[in-house]
Amino acid sequence: MGHFRVYTISDVLARCRRMQGYNVLHPIGWDAFGLPAENAAIERGVDPAEWTKQNIGKMKEQLRAMGVSFDWSREFMTCDPSFYKHTQRIFLLLHKRGLAYQAESLVNYDPVDRTVLANEQVDAAGFSWRSGAKVEKIRLRQWFLKITDFKEALLRDLDILAKDHRWPERVLSMQRNWLGKSEGARIRFPVSTQGLDDQTNVIIEAFTTRPDTLFGVQYLAVSSTHPIAASMAEKLPDLKAFIDATPSLPADSKAGFLLPGIFATNPLSLLNASPQLVKEPLPIYVAPYVLGDYGEGAVMGVPGHDIRDHAFWRQNQVDKETRVVIERSTVATTSKQDVSVSRPVDEVFVHHGVLTSRCGNLAGIPSLEASQKIVSMLAQAGEYAEHADSWRLRDWLISRQRYWGTPIPIVHCQQCGAVPVPVEELPVELPKLEGDWFRRKGGNPLESAEVWVNTTCPKCGEDAKRDTDTMDTFVDSSWYFMRFPDPLNAVTPFAPSAAKAFLPVDVYVGGVEHAILHLLYARFLSKFIAATPLWPSSGCSDNNGEPFQKLISQGMVHGRTYSDPDTGRFFRPEEVDLQDPAKPKIAKTGEPPNVSWEKMSKSKHNGVDPTVCIKRYGADATRGHILFQAPVTEVLQWDEERIVGIQRWFGRIWRLINASQRPLPSSNLSEKPSTSDPSPPPLPPISSFTEADAHIWAETQRTICSVTSSLTTAFTLNTVISDLMNLTNTLSSAPTSIDPAVLYNATSALLRMLAPVAPAVAEECWECLHFSFPPETASAIQNPEINSQNRLRSILTEHFPIIDGSLDVLQSRRQPCAVQENGKLRFAVEIGVPSANLFSPSSGADSPDAGAMARARAETALSKEGRTKALEAWVLGQIEETEEGKRWLEKKRGSGGWKKIIVVRGGRTVNFVG
């Protein structure tokens, strides 16, 4: 159902833009490689290619049933060699420019899926994003893409995407945090080397954003992968056991292993006149909370000014003081020496302030100034510090030890090393695996495919072996949108002319779960490709190679879930008694289950098959329900029982069309809509509009304005449905005196706005509106000749309605009316503005003739009472034309009515006196 939602959103936007006259490319393809397909195939003992193609076939049936307007002529699969030859081509371009390289690295290894994971694919608790297994750290030689070379551009150009809210701030924030730029300094701590074999010039380098706290350093902590930790672990079994156990520790663990026999020196102690406290040796710990891939894999521990360091210190050095070297800048001082510590020992001051008296000749200096001075002094004293930036972002690890992915086009030769496969030899195709390998569920089958692995070196012609890793599937999905403009190009990924015509993508609809993985990688590859001859225009001068102009992050679809109150086990649908949906019961016990809304999944038994829903309610009703139930960006709680509301709305539209049809043939319109060219008949002059005409047309114009904004700028598609429902109600309650041209034009606009949302319903209603066959000739509809002669253009080829500028004029003919009962406000409605003759006679009013003026005064006296009655009746009729007014007046008449009506302020206030 999640797929149904995202495709419905994109289809509505595509259909709207087509009707507005745009050349719309709304393609479909299949991101078909990856672990899920391979794991599913292994479970069933079948080839992943067969399994994938079967599922694509089923999905295509669902999409066609949805009525989505995809351009199927551009369809492709990323697992097709005709596509992934171009993925391999892009890899070779990266390799040629030094942006694809192989290196030995400590990597994240998923023991369940038996493959390596990128950092982005491991959650904060250390579990695989796909299998949920606890991730292990092992050393392997892997392929990386040098995304870090683009880090400044990836960060800087987020400002482009923030303009006019083109991308959601939530996604921009997630990408900024993942890029993780920190401004600070690298501090170098000399280390005594009694516990190390190599005792020369050992330095621990730590990055910090707070050099001003250097006086407060009380220990150093290194990651379990730091070279010093690795070296000492070879001689210390206890340390090795501790390091081996770190992956199983919780993410917030404050465990530490004190390295024996070595200490660090605070570089401030090497300066003249440094205070005694910085001359104390600093213990060194191995600590799981230190990340090996952030900074230099080491932190300087400042318990007095960092909450995490403080917690670690209190656990590992219970009896030691916590040193405080920064104080609030508001502390009154008469000299630097007066700045003192007055804080409970367990309070951590993490803000900027001024240095305390414990900081020697820097006491009293503000934090920011002190940071600059400390770094400068240490740099001059022997390059012990330097200003630097640190980034969380690491190069993209793309190697996967699995079969179902794009083969890496590299051949390994003992003489020549890693040699790229020549472009003319692409694609390097996956071998067809024979036998029952997929039933064995073991490792990477490419390693044992000897005929495929063994080859010759393209450079020297000697024996060589193919690289047996395949690429992370995100490599495919990070550029495939660029293939859609030119999907049949067999020579290059796409032609520059096609890229210039269609790139960047105008609107991208996708879940927020891809905010980092897919979208960050897509931005990287897009910027790289923009620096090649493939896309020299890069979109435009101020686009900087960004791939997606507008991003809509739709919310997930949640299903109603039933679980056991005692065990938490999720019940299957057949285990729950839903005879009374409002009071579900556990079938076996009769007790009420826990009911919650959860992301749809097989394990929670709360999924919904879209095809079943379509068969039951129709594609249009299902589409309308998806759009109406929640704003696009929020979670949609799937409640099938509410689809009936959309069906009822469609029923009202159908009845409206049939009612609108009757006055058209008998009307005296000078021009009637033609079946071959259903152009709206001209409206009468606005000045001749009756109040009913003005009300209908004003509501139509308001709806056009609101719906257009919702579909093209705000993307609040749920309000599109509510706006169209309101217009349907307005047209359905129109009086019979309505001008037929006004009614037709308003109804036509309603159907054309409905068409992107419910194309089938709109098409049927459109045909009904323009064909009016008498019963005796109804059978003629089946005549092919009549059909061909009276062929009606599809509503989807009509123009989307636009406002005509009349709303301001029409609004001046409307005013608010406060309805009171015995002086108390009951409700407010909008009514017309009464004509001038309901207030004073017009005859002779402007005549300077004395006789005429006298006659006017006499007429005024005689007709005053009549005009008052006429105004009261007119206002009463206006109120009764509104739904709320009609209901209130009916209730009021049923309870005895009223004695009199008082109309004041020209009808803006009406008081019913009981």
Side-chain angles (χ1 to χ4, degrees), residues 686-704:
I686 293 178
S687 59
S688 68
F689 274 16
T690 66
E691 287 302 324
D693 295 339
H695 175 59
I696 292 295
W697 196 241
E699 286 303 311
T700 302
Q701 292 297 300
R702 287 193 194 98
T703 305
I704 293 172

mmCIF file of all heavy atoms in Angstrom, residues 686-704:
data_model
loop_
_atom_site.group_PDB
_atom_site.id
_atom_site.type_symbol
_atom_site.label_atom_id
_atom_site.label_comp_id
_atom_site.label_asym_id
_atom_site.label_seq_id
_atom_site.Cartn_x
_atom_site.Cartn_y
_atom_site.Cartn_z
ATOM 1 N N ILE A 686 -20.912 39.445 -16.297
ATOM 2 C CA ILE A 686 -20.995 39.320 -14.833
ATOM 3 C C ILE A 686 -22.015 40.298 -14.267
ATOM 4 O O ILE A 686 -22.688 40.006 -13.272
ATOM 5 C CB ILE A 686 -19.603 39.541 -14.216
ATOM 6 C CG1 ILE A 686 -18.673 38.392 -14.628
ATOM 7 C CG2 ILE A 686 -19.676 39.650 -12.703
ATOM 8 C CD1 ILE A 686 -17.261 38.532 -14.117
ATOM 9 N N SER A 687 -22.134 41.441 -14.915
ATOM 10 C CA SER A 687 -23.095 42.435 -14.418
ATOM 11 C C SER A 687 -24.527 41.928 -14.454
ATOM 12 O O SER A 687 -25.386 42.435 -13.734
ATOM 13 C CB SER A 687 -22.975 43.720 -15.237
ATOM 14 O OG SER A 687 -23.229 43.449 -16.621
ATOM 15 N N SER A 688 -24.768 40.913 -15.311
ATOM 16 C CA SER A 688 -26.131 40.377 -15.409
ATOM 17 C C SER A 688 -26.348 39.159 -14.527
ATOM 18 O O SER A 688 -27.433 38.590 -14.524
ATOM 19 C CB SER A 688 -26.435 40.007 -16.866
ATOM 20 O OG SER A 688 -25.642 38.889 -17.267
ATOM 21 N N PHE A 689 -25.324 38.738 -13.798
ATOM 22 C CA PHE A 689 -25.443 37.567 -12.918
ATOM 23 C C PHE A 689 -26.494 37.815 -11.848
ATOM 24 O O PHE A 689 -26.549 38.889 -11.235
ATOM 25 C CB PHE A 689 -24.113 37.278 -12.219
ATOM 26 C CG PHE A 689 -23.159 36.430 -13.014
ATOM 27 C CD1 PHE A 689 -23.323 36.237 -14.372
ATOM 28 C CD2 PHE A 689 -22.079 35.820 -12.396
ATOM 29 C CE1 PHE A 689 -22.448 35.467 -15.100
ATOM 30 C CE2 PHE A 689 -21.185 35.048 -13.106
ATOM 31 C CZ PHE A 689 -21.368 34.869 -14.474
ATOM 32 N N THR A 690 -27.309 36.807 -11.625
ATOM 33 C CA THR A 690 -28.163 36.824 -10.444
ATOM 34 C C THR A 690 -27.313 36.504 -9.223
ATOM 35 O O THR A 690 -26.136 36.127 -9.344
ATOM 36 C CB THR A 690 -29.284 35.788 -10.571
ATOM 37 O OG1 THR A 690 -28.688 34.471 -10.579
ATOM 38 C CG2 THR A 690 -30.097 36.005 -11.846
ATOM 39 N N GLU A 691 -27.888 36.638 -8.058
ATOM 40 C CA GLU A 691 -27.129 36.293 -6.845
ATOM 41 C C GLU A 691 -26.718 34.827 -6.861
ATOM 42 O O GLU A 691 -25.611 34.462 -6.459
ATOM 43 C CB GLU A 691 -27.971 36.601 -5.596
ATOM 44 C CG GLU A 691 -28.119 38.071 -5.290
ATOM 45 C CD GLU A 691 -26.777 38.749 -5.092
ATOM 46 O OE1 GLU A 691 -25.852 38.120 -4.524
ATOM 47 O OE2 GLU A 691 -26.640 39.913 -5.511
ATOM 48 N N ALA A 692 -27.608 33.967 -7.346
ATOM 49 C CA ALA A 692 -27.284 32.538 -7.405
ATOM 50 C C ALA A 692 -26.133 32.298 -8.377
ATOM 51 O O ALA A 692 -25.203 31.527 -8.093
ATOM 52 C CB ALA A 692 -28.509 31.733 -7.814
ATOM 53 N N ASP A 693 -26.191 32.968 -9.557
ATOM 54 C CA ASP A 693 -25.097 32.832 -10.522
ATOM 55 C C ASP A 693 -23.781 33.284 -9.915
ATOM 56 O O ASP A 693 -22.745 32.617 -10.048
ATOM 57 C CB ASP A 693 -25.389 33.663 -11.779
ATOM 58 C CG ASP A 693 -26.600 33.173 -12.553
ATOM 59 O OD1 ASP A 693 -26.969 31.994 -12.371
ATOM 60 O OD2 ASP A 693 -27.173 33.967 -13.319
ATOM 61 N N ALA A 694 -23.804 34.440 -9.265
ATOM 62 C CA ALA A 694 -22.580 35.003 -8.681
ATOM 63 C C ALA A 694 -22.004 34.079 -7.611
ATOM 64 O O ALA A 694 -20.778 33.877 -7.526
ATOM 65 C CB ALA A 694 -22.874 36.377 -8.090
ATOM 66 N N HIS A 695 -22.894 33.518 -6.793
ATOM 67 C CA HIS A 695 -22.433 32.628 -5.724
ATOM 68 C C HIS A 695 -21.770 31.370 -6.306
ATOM 69 O O HIS A 695 -20.676 30.966 -5.893
ATOM 70 C CB HIS A 695 -23.611 32.244 -4.838
ATOM 71 C CG HIS A 695 -23.265 31.230 -3.787
ATOM 72 N ND1 HIS A 695 -22.298 31.446 -2.829
ATOM 73 C CD2 HIS A 695 -23.761 29.974 -3.553
ATOM 74 C CE1 HIS A 695 -22.197 30.384 -2.054
ATOM 75 N NE2 HIS A 695 -23.070 29.473 -2.471
ATOM 76 N N ILE A 696 -22.421 30.768 -7.303
ATOM 77 C CA ILE A 696 -21.883 29.546 -7.920
ATOM 78 C C ILE A 696 -20.535 29.835 -8.575
ATOM 79 O O ILE A 696 -19.568 29.078 -8.401
ATOM 80 C CB ILE A 696 -22.876 28.988 -8.962
ATOM 81 C CG1 ILE A 696 -24.134 28.453 -8.280
ATOM 82 C CG2 ILE A 696 -22.213 27.902 -9.815
ATOM 83 C CD1 ILE A 696 -23.906 27.258 -7.392
ATOM 84 N N TRP A 697 -20.479 30.911 -9.335
ATOM 85 C CA TRP A 697 -19.236 31.185 -10.074
ATOM 86 C C TRP A 697 -18.097 31.617 -9.144
ATOM 87 O O TRP A 697 -16.932 31.295 -9.382
ATOM 88 C CB TRP A 697 -19.483 32.225 -11.155
ATOM 89 C CG TRP A 697 -18.372 32.249 -12.169
ATOM 90 C CD1 TRP A 697 -17.557 33.287 -12.475
ATOM 91 C CD2 TRP A 697 -17.967 31.165 -12.991
ATOM 92 N NE1 TRP A 697 -16.659 32.922 -13.435
ATOM 93 C CE2 TRP A 697 -16.888 31.615 -13.776
ATOM 94 C CE3 TRP A 697 -18.413 29.849 -13.157
ATOM 95 C CZ2 TRP A 697 -16.241 30.811 -14.704
ATOM 96 C CZ3 TRP A 697 -17.769 29.039 -14.073
ATOM 97 C CH2 TRP A 697 -16.699 29.517 -14.833
ATOM 98 N N ALA A 698 -18.408 32.344 -8.084
ATOM 99 C CA ALA A 698 -17.373 32.734 -7.113
ATOM 100 C C ALA A 698 -16.791 31.494 -6.424
ATOM 101 O O ALA A 698 -15.566 31.385 -6.244
ATOM 102 C CB ALA A 698 -17.953 33.690 -6.078
ATOM 103 N N GLU A 699 -17.664 30.554 -6.048
ATOM 104 C CA GLU A 699 -17.172 29.328 -5.415
ATOM 105 C C GLU A 699 -16.326 28.524 -6.396
ATOM 106 O O GLU A 699 -15.308 27.926 -6.019
ATOM 107 C CB GLU A 699 -18.355 28.485 -4.927
ATOM 108 C CG GLU A 699 -19.041 29.016 -3.689
ATOM 109 C CD GLU A 699 -18.058 29.158 -2.525
ATOM 110 O OE1 GLU A 699 -17.320 28.198 -2.244
ATOM 111 O OE2 GLU A 699 -18.018 30.255 -1.924
ATOM 112 N N THR A 700 -16.706 28.524 -7.655
ATOM 113 C CA THR A 700 -15.914 27.812 -8.669
ATOM 114 C C THR A 700 -14.539 28.445 -8.811
ATOM 115 O O THR A 700 -13.520 27.742 -8.857
ATOM 116 C CB THR A 700 -16.645 27.835 -10.022
ATOM 117 O OG1 THR A 700 -17.933 27.235 -9.875
ATOM 118 C CG2 THR A 700 -15.854 27.080 -11.070
ATOM 119 N N GLN A 701 -14.499 29.760 -8.852
ATOM 120 C CA GLN A 701 -13.211 30.454 -8.997
ATOM 121 C C GLN A 701 -12.323 30.248 -7.767
ATOM 122 O O GLN A 701 -11.118 30.038 -7.887
ATOM 123 C CB GLN A 701 -13.446 31.945 -9.236
ATOM 124 C CG GLN A 701 -14.088 32.260 -10.570
ATOM 125 C CD GLN A 701 -13.202 31.849 -11.736
ATOM 126 O OE1 GLN A 701 -12.085 32.333 -11.874
ATOM 127 N NE2 GLN A 701 -13.689 30.936 -12.565
ATOM 128 N N ARG A 702 -12.931 30.281 -6.590
ATOM 129 C CA ARG A 702 -12.156 30.029 -5.372
ATOM 130 C C ARG A 702 -11.568 28.619 -5.397
ATOM 131 O O ARG A 702 -10.417 28.405 -5.021
ATOM 132 C CB ARG A 702 -13.035 30.191 -4.131
ATOM 133 C CG ARG A 702 -13.401 31.611 -3.783
ATOM 134 C CD ARG A 702 -13.993 31.685 -2.375
ATOM 135 N NE ARG A 702 -14.642 32.959 -2.138
ATOM 136 C CZ ARG A 702 -15.947 33.180 -2.246
ATOM 137 N NH1 ARG A 702 -16.760 32.171 -2.586
ATOM 138 N NH2 ARG A 702 -16.457 34.375 -2.017
ATOM 139 N N THR A 703 -12.370 27.664 -5.816
ATOM 140 C CA THR A 703 -11.899 26.274 -5.852
ATOM 141 C C THR A 703 -10.777 26.108 -6.867
ATOM 142 O O THR A 703 -9.777 25.427 -6.585
ATOM 143 C CB THR A 703 -13.066 25.328 -6.183
ATOM 144 O OG1 THR A 703 -14.127 25.539 -5.251
ATOM 145 C CG2 THR A 703 -12.622 23.876 -6.114
ATOM 146 N N ILE A 704 -10.900 26.708 -8.034
ATOM 147 C CA ILE A 704 -9.838 26.623 -9.036
ATOM 148 C C ILE A 704 -8.540 27.181 -8.469
ATOM 149 O O ILE A 704 -7.467 26.581 -8.616
ATOM 150 C CB ILE A 704 -10.232 27.386 -10.319
ATOM 151 C CG1 ILE A 704 -11.401 26.689 -11.022
ATOM 152 C CG2 ILE A 704 -9.034 27.507 -11.261
ATOM 153 C CD1 ILE A 704 -11.966 27.481 -12.188
#
